[in-house]
Amino acid sequence: MSAGGSRVLALWCADWPAVAAAATADLSPAEPVAVMSGNRVVACSATARAEGVTPGLRRRDAQARCPRLHVLAADDGRDARVFEPVAAAVDAAAPGVEVLRPGLLVLAAGGLARYFGSEEAAAERLVDEVAAVGVECQVGVADELSTAVVAARRSALVPPGSGARFLAPLPIGELAAEPALAAGSRADLVDLLHRLGVRTVGAFAALTPVAVASRFGADAVAAHRGARAEPERPPSARPLPPDLEVEMRCDPPVDRVDAAAFAGRALAQRLHGRLAAASVSCTRLAVHASTVRGEHFSRTWRCAEPLTPDGTADRVRWQLDGWLTGRSGSRPTAGIDLLRLEPVEVVPTGALQLGLWGGVGAEDDRARRALTRVQGLLGGDAVRIGVLSGGRGPAERVTVVSLGDEMVPDADPAAPWPGRLPEPAPTAVLPIPPRVVLESVDGVPVTVTERGEFGANPARLRWGDHSWALLGHAGPWSVDERWWDRSTARRVARAQVLLGQGAGSGAGAPRALLVLYDGTGWCVEGVYE
């Protein structure tokens, strides 16, 4: 049972990005729709799924499966704007709505059940309220929030105390199905558990908490608690630090989305300045707005991870966009003259995992601004970022793009790549591979035969004036690329060699190398440290 014995109701609108995109484009719900980001499907309608379209497909493959597919770009602001009438309809019938993301909201079920007579009656009423604004939804009720979200995907009302039993037979992928409740690495955790033979939520829940905590990360511990339907993330019991709320008077009042978004971003920066000074981070945020005619609007956003300044600004912009352009009766009839941001729940900053630059979010922003400044001084190509790409060698598996460009790889990393170098990848890849000599115990140069095998057993490697005895080797892995085109055909082989004692090598000598044979000899392609 959740903290305090309360129950949670989750309301879920399936395929919401596709639903919102179709509504904005005035497409019939029966039309196949796919929402794209980075040339890949991120969401699709039920009609498109029936034609074989699934999230993750490339645009070309999706259109090949469904030639009449409507392809639309992803837009978080659009999703939030179209969802606002849904949230407003639910809030009118049951105050206290928390939006996890556009398409998914939660609220306490206890008061609803008492008011409407039962949880079933409350669920039916909310489905009817949402249907009145032209949207289909599903409702789930359970003791814990994450269990209620899973139940909503199945339109299930889980009896009190039965959360773990309800979750047990479900596939392990359910732990990563809802991004609003999972960290970005949850998909990797699920993939690892599946490869370890843990195929159901119940099998994962059967592991002891000590075993999970000692072998996996903090997100695995949270996922394990969710799998066991244990109490999770109750509202903060400690009082909030004083003076965290921030507000802004808008003079003149704003009635345009661009002006409201600008004001919201400035307010988000002020809020995070106060949060940083109090050494806390916000996990639940209430956005309030008042108009010159005395109208008041409020919406609470709940997040799986602590908000960053950009995350706060985005949610404020989405909410204001939804209010100012919404098609429901909650649209303001006058300009907004007061904006207020209220942290509803905070956590200590020291309990958070540090980001790439050593901080929770502000440092990332400063680093990006510094890199953008470098681009302004030296040109757009002066700052480049690596993107995982498809290929067989380590250098081929990295596509370098300029900061700010779309991070699309040259080749699909998920495609099969026969002859691809197995794990682990080298720590460093040398841009100009230096030539080396691989010898047998008799001093005979080692080659790779037409059958893809060593001509002799490697025993020593010579690199300039240095030489090492080999403690072991792996490979070779042959690659025969573009054999149908003589001008671009390439046939090479790679091997990993572990270096032992050497002559003429210093203390900083490498321990293992990735070497490549191109038909004329060997070169060093990568270094393992």
Side-chain angles (χ1 to χ4, degrees):
M1 186 73 73
S2 59
S6 62
R7 302 261 287 165
V8 180
L9 183 147
L11 188 145
W12 176 65
C13 300
D15 310 317
W16 183 254
V19 172
T24 305
D26 292 327
L27 296 174
S28 166
E31 292 292 325
V33 175
V35 176
M36 295 281 182
S37 177
N39 204 37
R40 288 192 179 274
V41 177
V42 295
C44 59
S45 63
T47 308
R49 279 199 307 278
E51 298 285 340
V53 179
T54 58
L57 278 181
R58 296 174 71 89
R59 175 173 182 156
R60 182 185 304 171
D61 296 334
Q63 291 177 320
R65 297 185 182 187
C66 182
R68 61 192 186 97
L69 183 70
H70 295 274
V71 177
L72 301 170
D75 185 346
D76 292 334
R78 174 194 62 208
D79 298 346
R81 180 174 62 252
V82 180
F83 188 65
E84 175 54 27
V86 177
V90 176
D91 195 44
V97 167
E98 291 186 12
V99 179
L100 273 66
R101 61 165 176 81
L104 177 63
L105 55 82
V106 295
L107 61 160
L112 284 175
R114 290 190 296 271
Y115 184 78
F116 291 108
S118 67
E119 292 177 348
E120 291 83 356
E124 291 177 2
R125 175 62 181 271
L126 294 185
V127 170
D128 292 341
E129 292 291 340
V130 174
V133 297
V135 176
E136 294 182 357
C137 70
Q138 297 175 199
V139 170
V141 181
D143 293 339
E144 304 302 333
L145 188 146
S146 61
T147 309
V149 171
V150 176
R153 292 173 174 268
R154 290 164 171 76
S155 297
L157 303 183
V158 182
S162 303
R165 189 160 56 252
F166 167 74
L167 295 172
L170 302 181
I172 193 68
E174 284 293 336
L175 296 179
E178 179 47 61
L181 299 178
S185 59
R186 183 67 61 84
D188 295 335
L189 170 66
V190 168
D191 179 64
L192 174 59
L193 292 173
H194 193 272
R195 287 186 281 115
L196 291 174
V198 181
R199 304 298 171 83
T200 64
V201 176
F204 183 48
L207 301 177
T208 65
V210 173
V212 174
S214 61
R215 289 168 174 80
F216 305 101
D219 181 58
V221 175
H224 188 247
R225 292 181 61 85
R228 295 164 66 95
E230 295 181 357
E232 53 188 18
R233 252 195 82 195
S236 179
R238 67 176 188 149
L240 296 181
D243 302 325
L244 287 185
E245 295 183 13
V246 293
E247 64 178 38
M248 174 185 292
R249 290 284 178 181
C250 303
D251 187 15
V254 298
D255 55 6
R256 300 193 328 270
V257 173
D258 55 347
F262 181 80
R265 180 163 293 277
L267 202 56
Q269 293 293 341
R270 285 175 51 194
L271 171 66
H272 280 268
R274 294 193 178 185
L275 292 173
S279 298
V280 295
S281 293
C282 180
T283 52
R284 288 168 64 191
L285 175 72
V287 182
H288 304 278
S290 301
T291 70
V292 294
R293 293 184 179 178
E295 300 166 310
H296 301 284
F297 302 87
S298 178
R299 182 73 68 238
T300 300
W301 287 81
R302 180 184 182 114
C303 306
E305 296 181 331
L307 287 166
T308 63
D310 282 344
T312 300
D314 286 342
R315 282 159 178 79
V316 174
R317 174 172 55 83
W318 299 341
Q319 192 57 63
L320 293 174
D321 191 2
W323 282 332
L324 291 173
T325 63
R327 292 166 291 182
S328 67
S330 62
R331 181 173 179 173
T333 60
I336 294 175
D337 68 340
L338 176 66
L339 285 176
R340 181 164 58 91
L341 302 184
E342 175 190 359
V344 178
E345 179 179 290
V346 297
V347 295
T349 300
L352 305 178
Q353 183 177 359
L354 296 182
L356 176 62
W357 309 102
V360 176
E363 290 79 2
D364 288 301
D365 294 338
R366 287 197 292 270
R368 179 169 287 275
R369 287 197 295 270
L371 295 176
T372 304
R373 175 63 175 164
V374 172
Q375 278 186 312
L377 294 173
L378 303 181
D381 291 334
V383 181
R384 314 196 75 186
I385 302 172
V387 182
L388 180 64
S389 182
R392 295 176 173 85
E396 302 162 15
R397 301 204 64 199
V398 178
T399 298
V400 182
V401 300
S402 298
L403 178 68
D405 289 352
E406 188 175 8
M407 300 181 69
V408 178
D410 290 336
D412 183 8
W417 294 96
R420 182 175 64 183
L421 178 70
E423 297 293 341
T427 308
V429 178
L430 306 183
I432 303 178
R435 286 286 173 175
V436 296
V437 178
L438 206 58
E439 298 177 344
S440 67
V441 68
D442 301 326
V444 177
V446 175
T447 60
V448 177
T449 67
E450 292 290 329
R451 298 174 64 95
E453 301 174 346
F454 283 125
N457 193 41
R460 180 167 291 274
L461 181 139
R462 298 186 182 276
W463 184 347
D465 296 333
H466 310 306
S467 66
W468 293 268
L470 300 186
L471 296 179
H473 62 269
W477 298 283
S478 298
V479 176
D480 192 359
E481 295 180 314
R482 302 189 64 84
W483 46 267
W484 61 89
D485 184 358
R486 288 188 176 182
S487 62
T488 60
R490 188 175 78 140
R491 187 170 188 176
V492 298
R494 292 183 174 88
Q496 296 167 333
V497 294
L498 180 62
L499 307 183
Q501 265 191 316
S505 58
R511 291 289 298 159
L513 302 173
L514 174 66
V515 292
L516 179 140
Y517 182 77
D518 59 5
T520 61
W522 295 91
C523 61
V524 177
E525 192 175 21
V527 178
Y528 297 91
E529 296 178 354

